[in-house]
Amino acid sequence: MFKEKLSIFSIISILISLAGMLLVVDPTNLTKPVGISLALGSAMLFSIYSIFSRKISLRTGMDTLEVTGFTFLFGSLELYLLMVCSKIPLVQHFLTSHEGFQVFAEIPLFVPLHWNDLPLVLISGIFNTALGFVLYFFIMKETSTTLAATQFFVKPALAPLLSFLFLGEPLKVMLILGVGVILIGSAFTIYGDHLYRKR
Protein backbone atom coordinates (compact mmCIF):
# COMPACT_ATOMS: atom_id res chain seq x y z
CA MET A 1 0.00 0.00 0.00
CA PHE A 2 2.93 2.36 0.69
CA LYS A 3 5.11 0.72 -1.98
CA GLU A 4 7.81 -0.01 0.58
CA LYS A 5 10.42 -2.39 -0.77
CA LEU A 6 11.42 -5.40 1.28
CA SER A 7 15.19 -5.58 1.41
CA ILE A 8 17.05 -8.86 1.71
CA PHE A 9 17.77 -7.94 5.33
CA SER A 10 14.03 -7.51 6.01
CA ILE A 11 13.18 -10.88 4.46
CA ILE A 12 15.93 -12.63 6.43
CA SER A 13 14.79 -10.85 9.58
CA ILE A 14 11.17 -11.99 9.15
CA LEU A 15 12.19 -15.61 8.57
CA ILE A 16 14.60 -15.64 11.53
CA SER A 17 12.08 -13.95 13.83
CA LEU A 18 9.32 -16.37 12.83
CA ALA A 19 11.65 -19.26 13.64
CA GLY A 20 12.35 -17.67 17.02
CA MET A 21 8.64 -17.27 17.72
CA LEU A 22 8.09 -20.96 16.99
CA LEU A 23 10.77 -21.80 19.56
CA VAL A 24 9.15 -19.50 22.13
CA VAL A 25 5.60 -20.72 21.54
CA ASP A 26 6.55 -24.41 21.11
CA PRO A 27 4.15 -25.73 18.41
CA THR A 28 3.66 -29.00 20.33
CA ASN A 29 1.56 -27.03 22.84
CA LEU A 30 -0.70 -25.59 20.15
CA THR A 31 -3.53 -28.11 20.30
CA LYS A 32 -6.63 -25.86 20.13
CA PRO A 33 -7.58 -24.80 16.56
CA VAL A 34 -9.95 -22.06 17.79
CA GLY A 35 -7.22 -20.36 19.82
CA ILE A 36 -4.71 -20.58 16.98
CA SER A 37 -7.25 -19.17 14.49
CA LEU A 38 -8.15 -16.29 16.80
CA ALA A 39 -4.48 -15.47 17.39
CA LEU A 40 -3.72 -15.43 13.66
CA GLY A 41 -6.85 -13.37 12.96
CA SER A 42 -5.90 -10.89 15.65
CA ALA A 43 -2.40 -10.48 14.23
CA MET A 44 -3.79 -10.00 10.72
CA LEU A 45 -6.36 -7.40 11.80
CA PHE A 46 -3.80 -5.45 13.82
CA SER A 47 -1.44 -5.43 10.84
CA ILE A 48 -4.20 -4.01 8.62
CA TYR A 49 -5.07 -1.49 11.32
CA SER A 50 -1.44 -0.37 11.53
CA ILE A 51 -1.22 0.16 7.78
CA PHE A 52 -4.45 2.16 7.59
CA SER A 53 -3.48 4.21 10.65
CA ARG A 54 -0.24 5.23 8.99
CA LYS A 55 -2.07 6.07 5.78
CA ILE A 56 -4.51 8.28 7.72
CA SER A 57 -1.62 10.00 9.48
CA LEU A 58 0.23 10.71 6.24
CA ARG A 59 -2.87 11.79 4.32
CA THR A 60 -4.43 14.06 6.96
CA GLY A 61 -1.26 15.32 8.65
CA MET A 62 -2.51 14.13 12.03
CA ASP A 63 0.25 13.39 14.51
CA THR A 64 0.66 10.07 16.30
CA LEU A 65 -1.03 11.33 19.47
CA GLU A 66 -4.19 12.32 17.58
CA VAL A 67 -4.35 9.02 15.70
CA THR A 68 -3.92 7.11 18.95
CA GLY A 69 -6.58 9.21 20.67
CA PHE A 70 -9.20 8.62 17.99
CA THR A 71 -8.26 4.93 17.90
CA PHE A 72 -8.85 4.56 21.62
CA LEU A 73 -12.08 6.58 21.51
CA PHE A 74 -13.76 4.61 18.73
CA GLY A 75 -12.23 1.35 19.93
CA SER A 76 -13.73 1.86 23.38
CA LEU A 77 -17.16 2.59 21.89
CA GLU A 78 -16.95 -0.51 19.71
CA LEU A 79 -15.96 -2.72 22.65
CA TYR A 80 -18.79 -1.36 24.78
CA LEU A 81 -21.33 -2.02 22.01
CA LEU A 82 -20.00 -5.59 21.70
CA MET A 83 -20.33 -6.01 25.46
CA VAL A 84 -23.94 -4.83 25.27
CA CYS A 85 -24.63 -7.23 22.39
CA SER A 86 -23.22 -10.11 24.44
CA LYS A 87 -26.10 -9.57 26.90
CA ILE A 88 -28.72 -10.28 24.21
CA PRO A 89 -30.16 -13.75 25.06
CA LEU A 90 -29.61 -15.20 21.57
CA VAL A 91 -26.00 -13.98 21.40
CA GLN A 92 -25.32 -15.02 24.97
CA HIS A 93 -26.62 -18.53 24.24
CA PHE A 94 -24.33 -18.78 21.22
CA LEU A 95 -21.29 -17.69 23.24
CA THR A 96 -21.96 -20.01 26.18
CA SER A 97 -22.59 -23.02 23.94
CA HIS A 98 -19.25 -22.80 22.09
CA GLU A 99 -15.96 -23.74 23.71
CA GLY A 100 -13.62 -20.82 24.26
CA PHE A 101 -16.30 -18.14 23.86
CA GLN A 102 -17.95 -18.45 27.29
CA VAL A 103 -15.73 -15.72 28.74
CA PHE A 104 -17.20 -13.16 26.31
CA ALA A 105 -20.67 -13.77 27.71
CA GLU A 106 -19.54 -13.12 31.27
CA ILE A 107 -18.08 -9.62 30.85
CA PRO A 108 -19.83 -7.18 33.22
CA LEU A 109 -20.87 -3.81 31.79
CA PHE A 110 -19.89 -1.97 34.95
CA VAL A 111 -17.18 -2.89 37.46
CA PRO A 112 -16.64 -0.91 40.67
CA LEU A 113 -13.14 0.53 40.78
CA HIS A 114 -11.46 0.76 44.17
CA TRP A 115 -8.97 3.53 44.95
CA ASN A 116 -6.28 0.90 45.58
CA ASP A 117 -6.66 -0.30 41.99
CA LEU A 118 -6.46 3.16 40.43
CA PRO A 119 -2.61 3.38 40.20
CA LEU A 120 -2.41 0.05 38.36
CA VAL A 121 -5.21 1.08 35.99
CA LEU A 122 -3.49 4.40 35.22
CA ILE A 123 -0.12 2.72 34.67
CA SER A 124 -1.68 0.13 32.38
CA GLY A 125 -3.72 2.68 30.44
CA ILE A 126 -1.29 5.58 30.16
CA PHE A 127 2.17 4.04 30.09
CA ASN A 128 1.69 0.46 28.90
CA THR A 129 -1.01 1.08 26.31
CA ALA A 130 -1.27 4.74 25.27
CA LEU A 131 2.45 5.53 25.34
CA GLY A 132 3.24 2.23 23.63
CA PHE A 133 0.84 3.01 20.77
CA VAL A 134 2.13 6.57 20.40
CA LEU A 135 5.74 5.38 20.16
CA TYR A 136 4.74 2.63 17.73
CA PHE A 137 3.02 5.05 15.33
CA PHE A 138 5.83 7.59 15.71
CA ILE A 139 8.35 4.94 14.63
CA MET A 140 6.11 3.92 11.73
CA LYS A 141 5.71 7.54 10.59
CA GLU A 142 9.37 8.47 10.89
CA THR A 143 10.92 5.24 9.59
CA SER A 144 9.09 2.38 7.89
CA THR A 145 6.34 -0.15 8.49
CA THR A 146 8.89 -2.95 8.38
CA LEU A 147 11.03 -1.46 11.14
CA ALA A 148 7.99 -0.68 13.28
CA ALA A 149 6.79 -4.25 12.85
CA THR A 150 9.82 -5.56 14.72
CA GLN A 151 7.89 -4.87 17.93
CA PHE A 152 5.58 -7.77 17.02
CA PHE A 153 8.56 -10.10 17.25
CA VAL A 154 10.22 -8.42 20.22
CA LYS A 155 7.10 -8.64 22.41
CA PRO A 156 7.15 -12.46 22.63
CA ALA A 157 10.81 -12.19 23.60
CA LEU A 158 10.33 -9.53 26.27
CA ALA A 159 7.22 -11.01 27.89
CA PRO A 160 8.86 -14.17 29.28
CA LEU A 161 11.95 -12.24 30.37
CA LEU A 162 9.86 -9.71 32.28
CA SER A 163 7.75 -12.53 33.74
CA PHE A 164 10.95 -14.14 34.98
CA LEU A 165 12.21 -10.90 36.53
CA PHE A 166 8.99 -9.68 38.14
CA LEU A 167 6.82 -12.79 38.55
CA GLY A 168 9.48 -15.42 39.10
CA GLU A 169 8.26 -17.63 36.24
CA PRO A 170 10.88 -20.19 35.12
CA LEU A 171 12.74 -19.82 31.83
CA LYS A 172 12.88 -22.94 29.65
CA VAL A 173 15.83 -23.71 27.38
CA MET A 174 13.69 -23.54 24.21
CA LEU A 175 12.32 -20.18 25.33
CA ILE A 176 15.80 -18.75 25.89
CA LEU A 177 16.91 -19.98 22.47
CA GLY A 178 13.78 -18.49 20.88
CA VAL A 179 14.39 -15.12 22.51
CA GLY A 180 17.95 -15.10 21.20
CA VAL A 181 16.83 -15.95 17.67
CA ILE A 182 14.14 -13.23 17.74
CA LEU A 183 16.66 -10.61 18.86
CA ILE A 184 19.02 -11.65 16.04
CA GLY A 185 16.17 -11.31 13.54
CA SER A 186 15.26 -7.87 14.87
CA ALA A 187 18.91 -6.80 14.60
CA PHE A 188 18.82 -7.71 10.89
CA THR A 189 15.83 -5.40 10.39
CA ILE A 190 17.45 -2.48 12.20
CA TYR A 191 20.74 -2.93 10.34
CA GLY A 192 18.93 -3.24 7.00
CA ASP A 193 16.93 -0.06 7.66
CA HIS A 194 20.15 1.73 8.61
CA LEU A 195 21.81 0.72 5.33
CA TYR A 196 18.72 1.72 3.34
CA ARG A 197 18.69 5.23 4.86
CA LYS A 198 22.41 5.74 4.15
CA ARG A 199 21.78 5.50 0.43
Side-chain angles (χ1 to χ4, degrees), residues 75-88 109:
S76 299
L77 291 173
E78 177 193 359
L79 287 176
Y80 191 77
L81 288 175
L82 290 175
M83 289 165 62
V84 171
C85 290
S86 70
K87 303 305 176 184
I88 299 173
L109 294 179

Side-chain angles (χ1 to χ4, degrees), residues 36-139:
I36 298 172
S37 301
L38 290 175
L40 293 174
S42 174
M44 180 65 69
L45 288 173
F46 189 81
S47 299
I48 295 172
Y49 154 73
S50 300
I51 292 172
F52 276 100
S53 296
R54 187 186 181 200
K55 187 173 184 179
I56 292 171
S57 179
L58 294 175
R59 177 176 291 183
T60 63
M62 295 172 61
D63 60 31
T64 54
L65 190 59
E66 291 174 313
V67 174
T68 305
F70 279 111
T71 297
F72 282 16
L73 176 62
F74 289 107
S76 299
L77 291 173
E78 177 193 359
L79 287 176
Y80 191 77
L81 288 175
L82 290 175
M83 289 165 62
V84 171
C85 290
S86 70
K87 303 305 176 184
I88 299 173
L90 184 63
V91 177
Q92 196 169 42
H93 178 267
F94 172 83
L95 294 172
T96 54
S97 60
H98 289 76
E99 183 182 358
F101 290 92
Q102 294 91 340
V103 65
F104 296 107
E106 301 169 358
I107 303 175
L109 294 179
F110 298 98
V111 178
L113 182 64
H114 299 286
W115 286 106
N116 294 337
D117 301 326
L118 189 59
L120 291 176
V121 172
L122 291 176
I123 291 173
S124 177
I126 297 174
F127 293 99
N128 296 3
T129 306
L131 185 59
F133 268 81
V134 169
L135 291 175
Y136 171 70
F137 285 120
F138 179 78
I139 293 170

Side-chain angles (χ1 to χ4, degrees), residues 20 22-27 171-181:
L22 287 175
L23 291 173
V24 170
V25 175
D26 190 0
L171 289 176
K172 298 180 180 179
V173 176
M174 290 288 288
L175 192 146
I176 296 173
L177 290 175
V179 169
V181 173

